[in-house]
Amino acid sequence: MKPALLEVMRMNRICRMVLATCLGSFILVIFYFQIMRRNPFGVDICCRKGSRSPLQELYNPTQLELSNTAVLHQMRRDQVTDTCRANSAMSRKRRVLTPNDLKHLVVDEDHELIYCYVPKVACTNWKRLMMVLTGRGKYSDPMEIPANEAHVSANLKTLNQYSIPEINHRLKSYMKFLFVREPFERLVSAYRNKFTQKYNTSFHKRYGTKIIKRQRKNATQEALRKGDDVKFEEFVAYLIDPHTQREEPFNEHWQTVYSLCHPCHIHYDLVGKYETLEEDSNYVLQLAGVGSYLKFPTYAKSTRTTDEMTTEFFQNISSEHQTQLYEVYKLDFLMFNYSVPSYLKLE
């Protein structure tokens, strides 16, 4: 009887051990899938402790030979520097930047990145990427982040939110980059998005009504009230009107890049271009140490503003207005090595 009792007790212990092992394994499996759901790459996106910084990777690459990409970006940096030097009177109207000038510079402390976003140059997707990089596992797929959420200011930290010593430290130590686009193509893209789409009523009310009031003779009361049928010619006339910038700065969607990102005051380590968007974006991600599992999202190109579209929009702009408009955006053309468009009739 006694041996039988001992055998039963031994079997009970074994059963309890098996049950505990199974339960523990089940909990681990659940925990694993929760992690994978948040970060399917299975890689820690948040931190780069112990690894080389993006600046080290850019200026002191692990490969002894400079890649063609590195040489290209050095040429772009030199172009910005040379343009700033040659146009110092125009480009350095103010010697000191204020924190308010830094509100377009998004900071990623984990990967030591600073990104100056320029509207109409893929900034929605780049803000999505920055949310993935700074989200500490909250996000994994950039395209799962709604576009409107990417533009909520509270979702990303900008450089103007830091103290002056903290700002200086980050400007010195972090890799700073921006993306640019052919200035007039960007301008037409802004016009198409803000003034030809019926859902942009806030822009129609804020800017459309003002533009029509100033630039359209014999405007109807409905046009003055709604501001939803601004012509491109009227938009251009508004931009070159000296009264416009005396009244208030340009809206960020048509503000010049040198006024948004201050490249003559801030040394940008990388200048990406819309024309080579995916290649340049993935190079940034590679330098940040996340390129193996995070890529710039691709999307349909059918709605993009093209050079052909831009040419059509400028057909009805007088040579006088074309010349004046070019002067407004001249530094962007020169600084980022965009040639004068062939369709322009400059005086």
Side-chain angles (χ1 to χ4, degrees), residues 5 8 18 38 56 59 64 73 83 111 118 133-134 184 194 243 273 282 297 306:
L5 181 61
V8 170
V18 170
R38 294 175 67 184
Q56 289 174 319
Y59 292 110
L64 292 178
H73 284 283
T83 304
H111 302 89
V118 178
L133 291 171
T134 60
F184 285 170
K194 301 306 177 186
H243 179 71
K273 290 199 169 187
N282 289 328
T306 63

Side-chain angles (χ1 to χ4, degrees), residues 95-106:
R95 293 291 176 181
V96 179
L97 296 178
T98 66
N100 190 53
D101 294 317
L102 307 176
K103 60 186 178 183
H104 273 249
L105 278 71
V106 178

Side-chain angles (χ1 to χ4, degrees), residues 38-72:
R38 294 175 67 184
N39 182 8
F41 303 106
V43 182
D44 185 2
I45 294 178
C46 80
C47 307
R48 38 180 309 118
K49 303 297 184 185
S51 61
R52 288 159 56 85
S53 74
L55 278 184
Q56 289 174 319
E57 289 293 345
L58 178 63
Y59 292 110
N60 299 291
T62 49
Q63 297 87 357
L64 292 178
E65 294 184 10
L66 283 175
S67 67
N68 291 335
T69 305
V71 172
L72 171 65

